[in-house]
Amino acid sequence: MVEQIDTHYYETLKRRSYLNNKGTLYKFEDWVIKQCKPYPEMRVLELGCGTGKHTFPFAEQVSPAGSILGIDISQEAVTEVNEKANSNQLKHIRAVKGSFDECVNLLHDSKFDLILSCYAIYYAEDMKRVLCALRSLLSPKGHIFICGYGKGNNQEIFNIINHVIPNPREHRKSAGDFIDESSIEEIGKCYQRFSTVRLYNKIQFNGVDDVLEWWKNHPSYLPEIYDQVKGTLQSIFALKGNFVLTKSILGVNYYS
Ligand SMILES: C[S@@+](CC[C@H](N)C(=O)[O-])C[C@H]1O[C@@H](n2cnc3c(N)ncnc32)[C@H](O)[C@@H]1O
């Protein structure tokens, strides 16, 4: 487990996502669509669909001849997706409450052309087992695309934190890739082939307060250095007029 999922986690995540979306220079959803190449009859399974950030853009390419099924452990998220699908008359989108570790059993009678999971699959109790088992749900030319944080993610905020922390031994660093190379390869043995892809996406903040709010909702937040970080950000804004954060994203494709 990467981080505990609880109410506080959801609240901080929502706030960060809001600020990321506000400042993004390139839509992450477009990159996901580009990797997945949806087509009208595609049968899509999305694991950890959340409130549908990636689910709904698929509806522009996947027609009612295909289908989009979201699975998420949060009833609140599932309800939101279903309500949005109903109000937009997207009958081929549906979300169901369920967990990653149970979904292969739950869906054993179904086949999908694409299984997608963004910033989610690492919450599975046994990610490697789930990812191997998912092959049984893929159609013969089916494909899995998973993505999440990559090495060097949010490096600019860590640079500021480390600039104000004098002792190098107390310096912070970003979390690294959400899945390591040996796990990627091990899971790859369950498939015909696999490949990886990276995106470095820029988020531009136009005010110190937005950056501070983002940071307060990020696991790297340290209240004891708040004033110093604020001072450093003020100097950056005085010099450049903005602050840019790089989202490092790793994607992995598995082909059946
Ligand atoms: C970081 S959010 C990502 C949501 C969405 N994919 C996106 O990119 O906006 C992670 C999602 O995974 C769901 N989740 C976490 N653990 C899960 C599990 N064991 N089974 C199913 N869903 C889970 C959470 O409820 C949450 O909606």
Side-chain angles (χ1 to χ4, degrees):
M1 278 286 257
V2 171
E3 251 181 275
Q4 187 107 34
I5 291 257
D6 57 18
T7 315
H8 174 71
Y9 169 86
Y10 279 118
E11 279 164 14
T12 57
L13 183 70
K14 257 191 185 168
R15 204 57 210 148
R16 276 194 340 257
S17 296
Y18 166 76
L19 291 162
N20 285 340
N21 291 339
K22 187 173 151 189
T24 191
L25 301 181
Y26 170 66
K27 263 173 88 183
F28 171 46
E29 299 91 297
D30 291 347
W31 181 76
V32 172
I33 290 281
K34 202 170 141 194
Q35 308 309 313
C36 296
K37 303 178 186 70
Y39 52 85
E41 304 81 21
M42 196 180 225
R43 292 159 297 174
V44 181
L45 170 64
E46 189 188 0
L47 299 179
C49 59
T51 53
K53 178 184 167 97
H54 299 283
T55 323
F56 289 98
F58 271 82
E60 287 165 28
Q61 323 274 337
V62 176
S63 78
S67 57
I68 306 165
L69 173 64
I71 301 274
D72 202 286
I73 200 119
S74 157
Q75 183 58 57
E76 206 184 320
V78 164
T79 304
E80 198 171 321
V81 169
N82 286 330
E83 281 177 0
K84 194 170 167 191
N86 285 340
S87 63
N88 288 287
Q89 304 201 328
L90 297 166
K91 291 200 174 100
H92 57 310
I93 293 190
R94 182 167 66 95
V96 171
K97 185 180 173 189
S99 84
F100 302 144
D101 294 86
E102 291 165 358
C103 72
V104 176
N105 279 343
L106 211 76
L107 298 167
H108 66 277
D109 281 338
S110 312
K111 288 284 177 216
F112 299 94
D113 306 304
L114 171 73
I115 300 177
L116 165 71
S117 189
C118 295
Y119 284 82
I121 197 68
Y122 38 78
Y123 295 113
E125 276 172 36
D126 188 343
M127 176 174 71
K128 287 190 210 169
R129 189 193 61 78
V130 172
L131 281 170
C132 272
L134 283 171
R135 186 171 182 186
S136 65
L137 301 184
L138 280 179
S139 62
K141 288 192 176 166
H143 153 221
I144 294 182
F145 180 68
I146 55 169
C147 60
Y149 53 82
K151 56 187 169 205
N153 194 31
N154 303 317
Q155 189 57 50
E156 296 86 349
I157 205 81
F158 289 99
N159 291 346
I160 295 181
I161 294 170
N162 294 337
H163 173 73
V164 303
I165 294 179
N167 186 349
R169 271 180 292 177
E170 288 169 21
H171 281 183
R172 309 289 162 123
K173 56 178 185 172
S174 72
D177 288 332
F178 78 92
I179 181 170
D180 59 49
E181 268 177 49
S182 64
S183 301
I184 295 175
E185 280 178 28
E186 205 183 316
I187 298 159
K189 290 179 187 149
C190 302
Y191 290 86
Q192 288 279 353
R193 64 189 174 92
F194 68 91
S195 63
T196 56
V197 58
R198 288 187 188 269
L199 171 71
Y200 298 96
N201 206 14
K202 303 283 181 194
I203 311 291
Q204 183 174 303
F205 292 86
N206 293 319
V208 172
D209 289 346
D210 274 359
V211 187
L212 289 170
E213 198 191 339
W214 181 94
W215 183 46
K216 275 183 170 176
N217 288 287
H218 187 258
S220 66
Y221 181 58
L222 294 168
E224 61 273 26
I225 57 166
Y226 177 86
D227 287 338
Q228 288 153 282
V229 167
K230 185 176 176 179
T232 309
L233 283 168
Q234 281 167 337
S235 313
I236 292 172
F237 272 85
L239 208 67
K240 296 186 183 169
N242 63 42
F243 174 74
V244 173
L245 204 53
T246 305
K247 313 302 289 184
S248 162
I249 299 155
L250 168 65
V252 188
N253 295 286
Y254 290 109
Y255 300 92
S256 102

